[in-house]
Amino acid sequence: MHIMVTGSGGQLGSEFRAIADRYPCSQLFFFDHGELDIASESAVEAAMRRCCADVVVNCAAFTSVDRAETDPDAAFRANRDGAGVLARSARRHDALLVHFSTYYVFDGRSPKPYREDDPASPDSVYGKSKLQGEALVRQVNPSHLIIRTGWLYSRFGENFVKTMLRLGRERDQLDVVSDRIGSPTHAEGLASAVMRIIEQSGSLAGLAATCHYCDEGVASWFDLAVAVMAKANLPCNVRPVESSAFPVHGPRPWYSVMGKQILKSQWGIETPHWQSALGAMLDRRID
């Protein structure tokens, strides 16, 4: 099976690159942002022909919530238009498109974990751009898998966990937001789950689904920071503060926990608790 991975220079794309050797029956082709502009029809078509792709895994995205508010054109170009270009090209080549979305498509006011079929109502430009990207993928390519996730961290790239590690070594004390709740998610587990789904699905042409992926358990950013310091044996003291202590341009959902009913029922995939996944990542992190 030929699998084309876009956005391979980011933390999730890097995880696909790192696990590629585990799947000798599949040939993975990697394109980072500088090598492939996913919003360019001609560039995507050339890459598809080069790879003879059976599956396109789209890890490319505009992810800066604050910058999206000041540069919406760039956010929509990557997250909506790029998704549409990939969906059209994948359809022409009879390929499955695996597209990653986000909990930002919800408003974060739910009293319980979001289901896959809960109404989406994003407050931010970033969330709106990702929701419109989802809609285009469903509309354009009948063979698609949309995976909503969030609170991703990895040994690769820039993320909250690595930032806490750095600051924990540099400072004696940190203030971290305690009033935003979600599920920390190790990107390696997500990449592995996608490869498992691809291998299990048999007829990829018949796959059309939207599911959620996150690790088990619930935490605040403060909880996650405390766990990082403890597991990394750093003496830095972490203090809980409200979000108002760190003003931002783009609105953030207060609550972003997602249920994983489809992931479990359709593919039998169980995710680890975030505490154990974090420990595994820290045991072999790349600084």
Side-chain angles (χ1 to χ4, degrees):
M1 185 176 302
H2 289 193
I3 302 172
M4 173 174 142
V5 181
T6 67
S8 64
Q11 61 176 341
L12 182 55
S14 295
E15 292 289 4
F16 277 100
R17 191 187 294 272
I19 67 173
D21 289 345
R22 301 179 195 172
Y23 304 93
C25 293
S26 295
Q27 185 173 2
L28 279 73
F29 301 83
F30 297 97
F31 297 86
D32 65 23
H33 176 71
E35 295 169 323
L36 178 62
D37 175 5
I38 64 168
S40 167
E41 296 269 4
S42 59
V44 168
E45 272 296 305
M48 289 291 292
R49 288 194 298 270
R50 171 183 164 189
C51 299
C52 299
D54 304 296
V55 181
V56 179
V57 178
N58 180 29
C59 299
F62 184 106
T63 59
S64 174
V65 179
D66 289 336
R67 281 181 52 215
E69 296 295 320
T70 57
D71 192 0
D73 289 346
F76 278 98
R77 185 178 189 277
N79 296 338
R80 178 195 61 198
D81 302 342
V85 168
L86 288 171
R88 285 190 292 274
S89 186
R91 183 193 64 198
R92 285 191 290 267
H93 292 265
D94 296 319
L96 170 73
L97 174 60
V98 179
H99 178 69
F100 296 99
S101 190
T102 173
Y103 65 82
Y104 273 83
V105 301
F106 300 115
D107 61 18
R109 301 182 183 93
S110 175
K112 62 184 187 301
Y114 283 100
R115 292 172 53 90
E116 293 86 351
D117 57 358
D118 280 339
S121 54
D123 289 330
S124 65
V125 170
Y126 170 63
K128 293 172 183 176
S129 71
K130 293 298 287 184
L131 182 60
Q132 290 186 27
E134 286 188 13
L136 263 181
V137 169
R138 294 189 192 97
Q139 174 186 338
V140 170
N141 191 347
S143 298
H144 64 263
L145 173 61
I146 297 170
I147 304 176
R148 295 177 182 140
T149 189
W151 288 49
L152 281 182
Y153 65 89
S154 166
R155 56 200 170 118
F156 304 108
E158 298 298 323
N159 55 72
F160 180 85
V161 168
K162 291 181 70 175
T163 297
M164 291 299 102
L165 286 171
R166 175 177 57 80
L167 294 177
R169 298 187 188 105
E170 297 172 354
R171 303 182 187 179
D172 296 326
Q173 183 167 282
L174 285 175
D175 292 345
V176 179
V177 168
S178 62
D179 56 0
R180 297 194 186 277
I181 306 299
S183 298
T185 300
H186 189 191
E188 181 187 41
L190 173 54
S192 298
V194 169
M195 293 301 297
R196 178 177 168 184
I197 290 170
I198 291 171
E199 289 192 335
Q200 286 183 354
S201 294
S203 176
L204 297 177
L207 180 57
T210 298
C211 67
H212 295 164
Y213 185 99
C214 55
D215 287 340
E216 290 293 325
V218 176
S220 67
W221 292 112
F222 165 77
D223 296 328
L224 179 53
V226 169
V228 169
M229 301 308 166
K231 293 180 185 298
N233 295 313
L234 295 173
C236 180
N237 179 46
V238 182
R239 301 190 307 178
V241 298
E242 295 185 352
S243 297
S244 57
F246 297 99
V248 293
H249 294 295
R252 269 75 167 164
W254 294 100
Y255 181 84
S256 56
V257 180
M258 295 185 292
K260 301 182 287 291
Q261 292 85 353
I262 292 178
L263 188 75
K264 294 178 179 179
S265 63
Q266 189 161 340
W267 294 289
I269 292 176
E270 299 286 341
T271 62
H273 192 278
W274 70 265
Q275 289 267 12
S276 61
L278 175 65
M281 177 268 195
L282 292 176
D283 284 343
R284 56 189 184 85
R285 66 181 182 269
I286 297 175
D287 293 323

